Amino acid sequence: MKQTVTIEKVVYGGEGLARTDSGVIFVPDTITGDVVRVIASERRNGVHKATRTSLLEPSPHRRDALCPHFGECGGCNWQFVDYSYQRETKKEIFLDCMRRIGRIKQVLNPESIAASELGYRIRAQIKVDCETQRFGFFRKKSNEIVSVQHCPLLSEQLNRVLLHIHKTSGAGLTGHKSIKVLGQSSKMIASDPVIDRLTCGSTTIRVGEKRFCVQGNSFFQSNGYLLKELGTWAAPHLSSTRCLDLFGGCGFFSIMLSECFKEGILVENVGSQVELARSNFRNNDLSHIRGYVADVEKGPAMAELKKYNPDLVIVDPPRPGLTRKARQWVSDLSPHTLLYISCNPSTLARDAGFLVNKAGYSIHKSAVFDLYPNTSHLESALILRK
């Protein structure tokens, strides 16, 4: 059944919420204030979804998309939203998650931290199909590749790699379904796999006075403009003796916050990343931090780490957040201060709700980092204290 609805707000994931006589529905590709004609399309996990058939009255927050591939390429979904309103909406989504999912009653006023909305990505995964000569990114909700020669969100250096792949018809990439690229310098872009005479296996990323050796397949923060802001945001509020950095990767937060603690241990379950972290500690003359290969979910190693008795714990978990077991383990450590960085405000809110309502913490400071402009993704951070 078709009906006309007005989008009331946007929820995490980027869909617009509208209320109807039969209940709440969620409509993709809409923004607050849109009046749209929709048709119910599916009900999934108790949630009603709808498809927009026409835009009857555009929101004042709309604008023309910045890229000719928008709507076809699945890489970004908010190019049609005015950038200042993107930032405002992400802050509201963060607060809504904290209240609704985390059941946190404390009044929060998160900082909103952003930079340029274009040319910010220094890490990407380019999809390749040498048989069909298609190189670019997946179509929305599909494994079909949209051929893209230039992406306005990629840095100039990564766009050069993308264009090179097109010009050489994917030379050297036969048999690969994608190539991961990472780096700042046009002369030293790391990739996996390596493209002969264009990329290398590893490179150095500089953040202020700090240096990070990374590989093409390393996890590293994607927004080149906000690396320093993200890495040092918490520094004025941290002072500890022993720091435990969980899900520490190649050492980004341990190194950026190294002056905030006297000794530290980084924990990561990927051995190659721990080796990179150890190398990065040495390259930055940080002898007071050690790297430790361990899984937060598994017994002997974590039991041993409990004896470390940290007064500061940093957690930067993957999108699903902390498991119930990991939440309880962190709570049992009972550090005075927790720094939680997250790419998913819903799982952050769930974990923060446990820490605040059951583990005796309060939120000292919060921030929303717009690491992914022109998409509905957001990064957020909390400093919690006993």
Side-chain angles (χ1 to χ4, degrees):
M1 182 181 69
K2 288 186 178 182
Q3 55 188 316
T4 300
V5 298
T6 300
I7 302 302
E8 180 180 308
K9 65 177 182 178
V10 177
V11 298
Y12 176 61
E15 295 180 326
L17 178 150
R19 299 182 190 277
T20 71
D21 292 341
S22 57
V24 169
I25 60 171
F26 296 93
V27 188
D29 306 319
T30 58
I31 195 68
T32 307
D34 278 342
V35 179
V36 294
R37 191 76 169 158
V38 301
I39 185 169
S41 57
E42 62 179 319
R43 178 172 179 167
R44 188 169 57 205
N45 299 325
V47 174
H48 288 272
K49 301 278 187 177
T51 300
R52 190 190 89 191
T53 59
S54 58
L55 176 62
L56 302 179
E57 185 178 326
S59 165
H61 306 300
R62 279 183 170 266
R63 67 177 181 184
D64 292 334
L66 306 170
C67 176
H69 300 289
F70 178 73
E72 182 185 20
C73 174
C76 48
N77 61 337
W78 268 12
Q79 284 195 24
F80 70 94
V81 184
D82 178 77
Y83 186 53
S84 62
Y85 194 68
Q86 289 185 38
R87 293 181 58 190
E88 183 181 332
T89 301
K90 289 179 182 183
K91 187 174 178 178
E92 287 303 315
I93 288 171
F94 168 79
L95 290 170
D96 177 67
C97 288
M98 298 300 285
R99 291 189 293 257
R100 182 173 49 83
I101 299 172
R103 305 293 182 189
I104 292 173
K105 298 178 181 179
Q106 179 182 343
V107 176
L108 301 177
N109 183 28
E111 292 182 60
S112 177
I113 301 170
S116 173
E117 62 172 307
L118 300 175
Y120 61 84
R121 286 201 72 110
I122 62 170
R123 179 172 64 92
Q125 184 173 149
I126 300 168
K127 307 300 180 182
V128 301
D129 188 334
C130 294
E131 287 188 11
T132 63
Q133 290 292 287
R134 300 184 76 83
F135 313 102
F137 306 100
F138 281 148
R139 190 181 302 277
K140 188 176 181 180
K141 296 183 179 179
S142 169
N143 289 330
E144 181 183 347
I145 297 173
V146 177
S147 191
V148 177
Q149 294 192 27
H150 180 273
C151 171
L153 305 192
L154 296 188
S155 68
E156 179 184 349
Q157 293 85 353
L158 295 198
N159 267 314
R160 287 177 186 164
V161 175
L162 179 58
L163 183 59
H164 174 89
I165 292 172
H166 277 272
K167 287 183 174 180
T168 60
S169 300
L173 296 175
T174 302
H176 294 279
K177 294 183 178 180
S178 66
I179 175 172
K180 296 178 180 179
V181 287
L182 169 61
Q184 290 173 316
S185 168
S186 58
K187 295 181 180 179
M188 291 287 286
I189 294 294
S191 74
D192 181 24
V194 171
I195 299 175
D196 187 37
R197 289 181 289 185
L198 181 69
T199 65
C200 50
S202 63
T203 187
T204 298
I205 293 178
R206 295 183 177 272
V207 185
E209 296 180 354
K210 308 298 184 185
R211 295 178 298 155
F212 297 87
C213 178
V214 295
Q215 297 170 341
N217 62 355
S218 293
F219 172 81
F220 201 79
Q221 300 297 337
S222 299
N223 192 313
Y225 298 141
L226 290 177
L227 291 174
K228 187 174 182 179
E229 286 79 359
L230 178 66
T232 60
W233 168 76
H237 310 277
L238 304 180
S239 180
S240 75
T241 301
R242 291 172 300 281
C243 172
L244 185 60
D245 181 8
L246 303 177
F247 312 95
C250 63
F252 180 73
F253 286 106
S254 286
I255 291 171
M256 295 302 294
L257 297 171
S258 57
E259 296 177 6
C260 299
F261 51 86
K262 294 181 180 178
E263 61 178 87
I265 294 178
L266 173 144
V267 178
E268 168 61 56
N269 67 350
V270 180
S272 60
Q273 292 301 291
V274 175
E275 285 303 314
L276 277 177
R278 290 168 177 160
S279 174
N280 288 330
F281 297 153
R282 291 192 295 270
N283 291 340
N284 288 279
D285 298 320
L286 300 175
S287 59
H288 67 298
I289 316 175
R290 293 174 286 153
Y292 200 90
V293 181
D295 191 324
V296 176
E297 289 297 303
K298 295 184 179 173
M302 303 317 287
E304 189 65 26
L305 283 169
K306 266 191 178 182
K307 301 174 184 177
Y308 186 59
N309 194 28
D311 51 349
L312 167 64
V313 171
I314 301 170
V315 292
D316 181 16
R319 190 170 296 277
L322 299 175
T323 63
R324 184 176 301 177
K325 185 176 180 180
R327 282 197 301 272
Q328 189 60 56
W329 187 83
V330 170
S331 174
D332 291 344
L333 285 177
S334 194
H336 175 264
T337 304
L338 269 163
L339 170 60
Y340 193 133
I341 304 98
S342 173
C343 61
N344 184 338
S346 61
T347 54
L348 170 66
R350 178 202 63 202
D351 294 345
F354 169 83
L355 293 166
V356 169
N357 298 320
K358 296 185 178 180
Y361 287 88
S362 61
I363 297 172
H364 174 71
K365 198 169 180 62
S366 61
V368 175
F369 295 86
D370 195 12
L371 296 191
Y372 313 100
N374 295 302
T375 81
S376 56
H377 299 296
L378 64 118
E379 194 91 357
S380 47
L382 299 177
I383 299 174
L384 301 106
R385 287 183 177 163
K386 278 283 186 180

